[in-house]
Amino acid sequence: MLDKHYDPKIVEEGKYDRWKEKGYFTAGDKSKQPFSLVIPPPNVTGKLHLGHVMDTVPDDIICRYKRMKGFDVLWVPGMDHAGIATQAKVEEKLRKEGVSRYDLGREAFLSKAWEWKGEYAKTIHQQWAKIGLSVDYTRERFTLDEGLSNAVRHVFVTLYNEGLIYQGEKIINWDPELRTALSNIEVIHQDDEGEFYYFRYPIEGSKDYIVVATTRPETMWGDTAVFVNPKDTRFSHLIGKRVMNPCNGEYLPVMGDPYVDMSFGTGAMKCTPAHDPNDFALAKKYGFPFIKVLDETAHLLPIAGEFAGMDRYEARKALVAKIQREGHLEKIEKFVHSVGHSERSGCVVEPMLSKQWFVRMKPLAERVLAEQQGPGKVEFLPKRFENVLIRWMKNVDDWCISRQLWWGHRIPAYYSKKTGEVLVTENEPNMEEYVQDEDVLDTWFSSGLWPFATLGWPEKTEDFDRYFPTSVLNTGYDIIFFWVSRMIFQSEHFTGKAPFKQVVIHGLIRDEKGRKMSKSLGNGIDPIDVIAKYGVDALRYFITTNSTPGLDMRYSDEKLQAAQNYLNKIWNATRYVEATLGEGFVPSEIDTKKLGTLDKFILSRLQKTIKKVTAKMDSYEFGAASSALYDFVYDDFCGFYLEMSKVSLSNPEMAESVKQTLYLVMKSIILMIDPYCPFIGEELYLSLPAHLDSAMVETYPEYEKKFVFPAAEKQGKRLMEILRDVRAYKSERKMAPNEPVKITISPKAPFKGIEEYLSRFLFAKVAFSAEAPKGDVLPYPGFSVIVGLDKSPEEIRQGLLKEKERVLFEIQRGSKMLSNPGFVAKAPKEKLALEQAKLKENESKLSDIERRLSDLGN
């Protein structure tokens, strides 16, 4: 027997371990159709946050639903080594201990990183269990495990041999804190307050000068020219002349190129090829040298002379002061501009010339664009997010994949100690003759292989043959270009297929004001706190039913409470059904010929609900699916049928059919809510008679046409309307809900036996008449309900006079109190407002009583 009250803590206890022990999460039933998906691998860097819940709970709902629909479901779990993110965390921990990674050396540092991974992997497992993720632990993977490492090396070497990976010098994004290159998508641009420095560049052989503006004076030692637009009449006469660099006194040629924007700054632009991607392109075009000014920590190199060794910002301040002293500073303007910051360290990124490894993206992107036009395309839900992929593929730059880190997949490139020749190979050569490249690969390089490498690729495995391509991917719109795009182009290049058939895109979860959750705002929500307060099922339900695909949602305590109330409603309904069925109840086939009108009504409504819920679940519209079930539970089942069943059960001829109906409907509700809320779903399911070992091995409710009764639906709806309208009639006349009334139905009842329900729930005497008597008429299609009081006119008049006397006394009391200046001056505002409201309400009651007495002829 279920406890009287729903307690999530008690309900959640022990269930997850039991599911794991029973092997319910393990795939491999070859008699069933396969359905597969991979978990978005969490980084081994921290604890659960609401974003993880939003990423994984929809996946779990899909898996639980598909298992109940008869599929062999494989949900591959795993974690991401998260190169930059994890190394940053480990280095931060070491700094607190007074140690740097360089003090430890590479191998010792990696040991520390593996210790970190071990600690946080345990935490992640606990979190998966806490939120009920039904992942197949027998197939768990890690992006640095042996199999994934083999796949990464194979991909790198293959792409290198195909000419799609190359090493070259380019302007890259450099993180001077973590001392590593970053790809464009690892740079977050934000508006920072900065300065525009306007410097005078004296013209050689003249007392005149031109003014050049820059935001980064510390890079001026790397200047190789000043560029102007040939069409700019202010400067075109200077092309071919030279101007002096006020930083170091060296002369720079003035060059003309249409690239220069005449309206930006002063219209004259300094060219610093080693520290700006656009300047790099101009230098290549005109054959200028690439002069580096900053080292890997953003300190100035010896070329800066007296400023060598200074931090970039310290050097900026000192250089500007020097230029000002020498009379070459025109002005400084403050302004707000977009500045790139490292996604991981948060420091300002330096564009810097560096030798790195790159993936040649154009051929790979062109294949994706072609595939998206054909039958093998990846379907995006909502469809508009395909445009994000297309746009990214059309405009993608070559991908910088090398990172100056130690934690990650070390690049399989080896340099001959004798000749310096590069050897790229999957198998380590004789290390007495070679030295391996120090860099590791961008984390997204290995993450991009996740859907197929986790299934054993490049080996030809049984899992790969059976479960690839995967069926669906659920992820946020913010990582379409980070992760989704890389999985698609890597998979299509190496397997000839898209990695998944569909991608379901969700939004982000924001705080109650719509702001992004962040440490700086202090508005983060700890899911563990939410679970402690509302239970994990309420959290799961809230996350998946209050969001629209592709749109952001807001955290709401009110909606979490509503979710818990809903689950409590289902709990109480199950308790009622459990008690009603009794110990000896045995489920059996329902004989439709023995069903009463309202049994037919609820079974027919159930079929419509099953049909709608199933369709929405199949299209991954979990909010719409849950709304359909919610409406059925509240409006049709709990708010109507359960109450009506108390009358139906009193009829011995109907009781058995009612019980069978209650059982079938209650079981169907539990099984439909179970994918969303598996802990309470399991508890309720196991409380039903004739249950299997678990709801996880049950069959999802199926639409059955034999239980569709359109006429009974209309008849049940008419009863609902009569109950609603007569209750409203009483309320409008200030009558108590249990005040007796007379009801006459004319010319005929909508269905046989309706009087039993009206009598019980409206406290009514019910009659039928071919001709309508006098009274208040409530019209319905095909019949009318005439309502009157179940008293003689004199009894009604005496009752009204007695109520009038009481109301007059209250009005006199209130008026006297509110006309007393002493009371009004001393009474608290709340008390004063209360008395004013009471007086107003009693005056309204008096008016209504007098109207009703007038209607009676008094």
Side-chain angles (χ1 to χ4, degrees):
M1 188 76 179
L2 288 172
D3 290 342
K4 187 174 181 180
H5 300 291
Y6 165 46
D7 185 337
K9 289 178 185 174
I10 294 172
V11 167
E12 290 161 20
E13 192 174 346
K15 287 184 174 54
Y16 191 82
D17 289 339
R18 181 175 179 273
W19 291 330
K20 271 180 69 178
E21 289 164 10
K22 289 283 187 177
Y24 295 147
F25 303 163
T26 305
D29 186 344
K30 294 183 178 61
S31 66
K32 298 177 179 179
Q33 184 179 341
F35 185 94
S36 59
L37 63 166
V38 292
I39 200 168
N43 295 345
V44 287
T45 51
K47 62 178 184 176
L48 175 75
H49 58 71
L50 286 176
H52 289 135
V53 180
M54 204 162 184
D55 266 343
T56 54
V57 167
D59 281 354
D60 190 56
I61 290 173
I62 292 168
C63 290
R64 289 175 183 274
Y65 169 71
K66 289 294 183 180
R67 288 189 193 100
M68 293 169 85
K69 291 293 283 183
F71 287 84
D72 170 31
V73 175
L74 170 60
W75 187 12
V76 179
M79 302 172 204
D80 198 311
H81 68 280
I84 291 179
T86 303
Q87 180 152 327
K89 291 281 188 182
V90 176
E91 288 199 61
E92 182 184 352
K93 183 182 177 186
L94 290 173
R95 273 196 299 273
K96 290 176 181 175
E97 298 169 2
V99 182
S100 78
R101 63 165 158 148
Y102 302 102
D103 296 331
L104 289 177
R106 188 168 194 140
E107 294 307 314
F109 175 81
L110 288 177
S111 294
K112 293 286 185 184
W114 278 104
E115 286 175 17
W116 176 281
K117 182 265 176 184
E119 178 186 342
Y120 278 91
K122 286 179 188 174
T123 302
I124 289 167
H125 283 147
Q126 290 165 359
Q127 291 163 358
W128 286 348
K130 191 73 177 172
I131 55 178
L133 304 187
S134 56
V135 293
D136 187 343
Y137 285 96
T138 67
R139 291 171 168 89
E140 185 178 348
R141 302 302 301 270
F142 179 53
T143 51
L144 275 180
D145 69 26
E146 185 180 354
L148 265 293
S149 297
N150 290 339
V152 167
R153 285 193 295 272
H154 177 74
V155 166
F156 186 95
V157 172
T158 303
L159 290 174
Y160 178 81
N161 290 337
E162 292 173 345
L164 294 175
I165 281 183
Y166 65 93
Q167 199 174 24
E169 277 200 316
K170 286 189 178 185
I171 297 289
I172 51 90
N173 304 297
W174 184 263
D175 181 331
E177 187 173 314
L178 293 175
R179 302 189 201 180
T180 183
L182 304 171
S183 67
N184 290 340
I185 56 177
E186 292 169 310
V187 178
I188 306 299
H189 285 86
Q190 61 188 50
D191 288 341
D192 289 353
E193 190 174 287
E195 288 83 26
F196 233 148
Y197 300 91
Y198 291 79
F199 296 128
R200 298 167 181 168
Y201 283 59
I203 300 168
E204 187 177 31
S206 168
K207 292 182 179 180
D208 204 358
Y209 57 83
I210 63 171
V211 177
V212 179
T214 180
T215 58
R216 300 163 68 211
E218 66 275 10
T219 64
M220 289 171 67
W221 284 277
D223 290 358
T224 57
V226 170
F227 274 86
V228 298
N229 194 305
K231 294 180 181 178
D232 193 334
T233 56
R234 295 172 297 171
F235 305 119
S236 56
H237 64 287
L238 295 175
I239 295 172
K241 294 188 177 183
R242 298 199 307 169
V243 293
M244 188 191 81
N245 185 341
C247 161
N248 55 12
E250 292 184 1
Y251 281 92
L252 308 171
V254 178
M255 305 288 293
D257 194 279
Y259 164 76
V260 180
D261 183 351
M262 292 185 283
S263 65
F264 184 74
T266 66
M269 183 191 83
K270 74 186 193 74
C271 179
T272 318
H275 293 281
D276 183 278
N278 298 314
D279 295 359
F280 177 84
L282 282 171
K284 278 212 158 191
K285 183 176 179 180
Y286 294 102
F288 288 124
F290 303 94
I291 305 167
K292 289 186 72 172
V293 179
L294 300 170
D295 68 11
E296 63 179 16
T297 64
H299 286 72
L300 274 67
L301 291 166
I303 193 171
E306 62 184 288
F307 300 93
M310 283 187 179
D311 169 76
R312 54 183 164 170
Y313 300 122
E314 180 189 1
R316 178 185 299 178
K317 188 176 178 182
L319 177 60
V320 171
K322 170 182 176 283
I323 292 175
Q324 185 174 22
R325 285 196 305 272
E326 294 173 355
H328 298 305
L329 175 64
E330 177 82 6
K331 62 178 177 176
I332 300 173
E333 283 183 351
K334 288 191 176 295
F335 78 123
V336 174
H337 61 144
S338 180
V339 178
H341 292 253
S342 168
E343 183 194 25
R344 293 302 175 186
S345 71
C347 74
V348 173
V349 167
E350 277 294 337
M352 194 177 290
L353 183 67
S354 180
K355 190 175 185 180
Q356 301 287 341
W357 291 91
F358 296 87
V359 173
R360 204 179 306 278
M361 284 300 304
K362 190 176 179 182
L364 299 167
E366 284 175 345
R367 171 161 187 167
V368 173
L369 292 170
E371 290 288 345
Q372 286 303 111
Q373 301 300 314
K377 69 177 289 185
V378 176
E379 180 187 5
F380 280 77
L381 303 171
K383 186 174 174 22
R384 68 181 182 275
F385 285 101
E386 182 182 358
N387 295 331
V388 178
L389 174 75
I390 299 299
R391 194 162 51 247
W392 190 83
M393 289 293 176
K394 283 182 176 178
N395 299 294
V396 68
D397 296 319
D398 283 358
W399 174 19
C400 177
I401 55 171
S402 45
R403 298 290 180 271
Q404 289 63 51
L405 304 170
W406 290 349
W407 176 246
H409 293 279
R410 198 163 173 181
I411 289 174
Y414 304 86
Y415 304 95
S416 169
K417 292 178 180 178
K418 291 181 180 178
T419 65
E421 184 182 353
V422 181
L423 173 65
V424 175
T425 175
E426 292 182 53
N427 303 308
E428 189 178 275
N430 182 351
M431 294 309 289
E432 291 182 4
E433 299 176 11
Y434 287 88
V435 60
Q436 188 172 0
D437 195 302
E438 291 286 325
D439 293 350
V440 300
L441 288 164
D442 178 10
T443 297
W444 298 105
F445 192 92
S446 52
S447 300
L449 313 181
W450 190 246
F452 51 101
T454 52
L455 297 174
W457 185 93
E459 302 301 321
K460 192 165 177 61
T461 65
E462 194 175 329
D463 275 359
F464 181 78
D465 288 343
R466 179 166 174 76
Y467 298 110
F468 188 82
T470 59
S471 307
V472 67
L473 175 79
N474 167 66
T475 191
Y477 63 68
D478 56 325
I479 58 170
I480 292 175
F481 39 82
F482 273 103
W483 188 40
V484 178
S485 59
R486 303 194 191 287
M487 287 189 284
I488 292 174
F489 75 68
Q490 302 240 56
S491 178
E492 290 181 351
H493 186 75
F494 285 100
T495 72
K497 299 175 183 176
F500 22 73
K501 294 158 190 155
Q502 294 175 306
V503 179
V504 181
I505 301 295
H506 62 71
L508 308 178
I509 183 163
R510 299 183 178 274
D511 72 6
E512 292 192 270
K513 295 178 181 177
R515 301 173 302 176
K516 189 173 182 179
M517 294 185 186
S518 67
K519 288 181 182 177
S520 60
L521 289 174
N523 62 346
I525 306 289
D526 187 341
I528 301 302
D529 293 340
V530 178
I531 291 168
K533 187 174 182 181
Y534 300 105
V536 70
D537 283 325
L539 175 60
R540 287 172 59 111
Y541 188 83
F542 163 72
I543 284 284
T544 49
T545 61
N546 285 279
S547 59
T548 302
L551 298 179
D552 292 348
M553 65 175 289
R554 295 187 182 192
Y555 177 84
S556 169
D557 276 305
E558 184 182 346
K559 289 182 178 178
L560 275 158
Q561 185 61 61
Q564 193 182 54
N565 293 345
Y566 175 48
L567 298 180
N568 203 56
K569 173 74 77 173
I570 297 175
W571 179 276
N572 290 334
T574 309
R575 285 187 74 246
Y576 169 77
V577 172
E578 185 183 24
T580 301
L581 297 182
E583 287 188 14
F585 175 80
V586 177
S588 62
E589 185 72 23
I590 291 176
D591 185 350
T592 57
K593 294 175 183 177
K594 294 181 180 179
L595 290 172
T597 298
L598 298 188
D599 303 328
K600 290 179 178 178
F601 164 82
I602 198 66
L603 287 171
S604 194
R605 296 293 297 159
L606 174 65
Q607 300 318 303
K608 285 189 174 179
T609 302
I610 290 170
K611 193 173 188 178
K612 188 171 183 180
V613 170
T614 301
K616 295 301 181 184
M617 292 291 281
D618 285 340
S619 60
Y620 310 117
E621 296 175 74
F622 303 122
S626 68
S627 290
L629 180 59
Y630 180 95
D631 291 345
F632 174 76
V633 169
Y634 262 94
D635 300 338
D636 297 333
F637 189 61
C638 294
F640 180 65
Y641 181 76
L642 283 190
E643 290 300 309
M644 299 304 108
S645 71
K646 294 169 185 175
V647 172
S648 307
L649 286 163
S650 64
N651 184 337
E653 293 181 6
M654 297 176 64
E656 181 60 23
S657 290
V658 174
K659 287 182 179 181
Q660 294 295 343
T661 301
L662 280 168
Y663 171 79
L664 177 61
V665 176
M666 195 72 250
K667 180 181 175 183
S668 299
I669 289 170
I670 292 167
L671 293 179
M672 282 190 280
I673 198 68
D674 183 80
Y676 293 87
C677 309
F679 294 96
I680 190 173
E682 184 84 333
E683 186 81 5
L684 298 179
Y685 173 76
L686 294 176
S687 75
L688 294 178
H691 58 75
L692 303 179
D693 194 45
S694 168
M696 288 199 68
V697 295
E698 262 287 2
T699 301
Y700 200 78
E702 296 281 346
Y703 174 82
E704 294 185 80
K705 196 171 182 180
K706 69 178 181 179
F707 290 136
V708 176
F709 306 103
E713 280 197 62
K714 288 180 182 177
Q715 291 161 345
K717 187 179 178 185
R718 291 289 170 259
L719 175 56
M720 293 173 82
E721 290 169 349
I722 295 169
L723 293 172
R724 178 198 66 205
D725 294 344
V726 175
R727 284 166 178 162
Y729 174 92
K730 287 185 175 184
S731 176
E732 288 166 6
R733 286 157 180 76
K734 307 293 190 294
M735 296 167 64
N738 61 351
E739 187 168 341
V741 290
K742 287 180 180 177
I743 288 178
T744 303
I745 300 176
S746 178
K748 62 178 181 178
F751 66 89
K752 185 180 178 182
I754 191 172
E755 66 275 11
E756 296 176 29
Y757 303 100
L758 297 177
S759 175
R760 169 75 177 270
F761 295 105
L762 293 177
F763 303 90
K765 285 184 179 178
V766 183
F768 301 95
S769 174
E771 293 184 10
K774 290 182 179 180
D776 294 312
V777 179
L778 303 176
Y780 301 95
F783 70 97
S784 296
V785 171
I786 299 88
V787 186
L789 296 180
D790 188 22
K791 293 178 182 178
S792 69
E794 181 57 27
E795 285 176 321
I796 296 169
R797 192 178 76 84
Q798 290 300 324
L800 287 171
L801 288 171
K802 188 176 180 181
E803 177 66 7
K804 180 179 179 180
E805 186 180 344
R806 186 192 70 78
V807 171
L808 279 169
F809 173 80
E810 286 297 322
I811 289 172
Q812 289 167 0
R813 184 195 66 80
S815 297
K816 186 178 178 181
M817 189 181 295
L818 292 168
S819 63
N820 182 344
F823 171 78
V824 174
K826 294 178 182 178
K829 286 182 181 179
E830 295 80 7
K831 173 66 175 172
L832 194 61
L834 178 65
E835 289 301 331
Q836 288 169 337
K838 280 183 182 178
L839 179 61
K840 190 174 181 181
E841 182 184 354
N842 284 317
E843 287 172 342
S844 175
K845 283 182 180 178
L846 179 62
S847 176
D848 185 65
I849 290 168
E850 288 174 340
R851 179 187 59 77
R852 292 170 68 186
L853 283 168
S854 176
D855 290 343
L856 287 167
N858 293 281

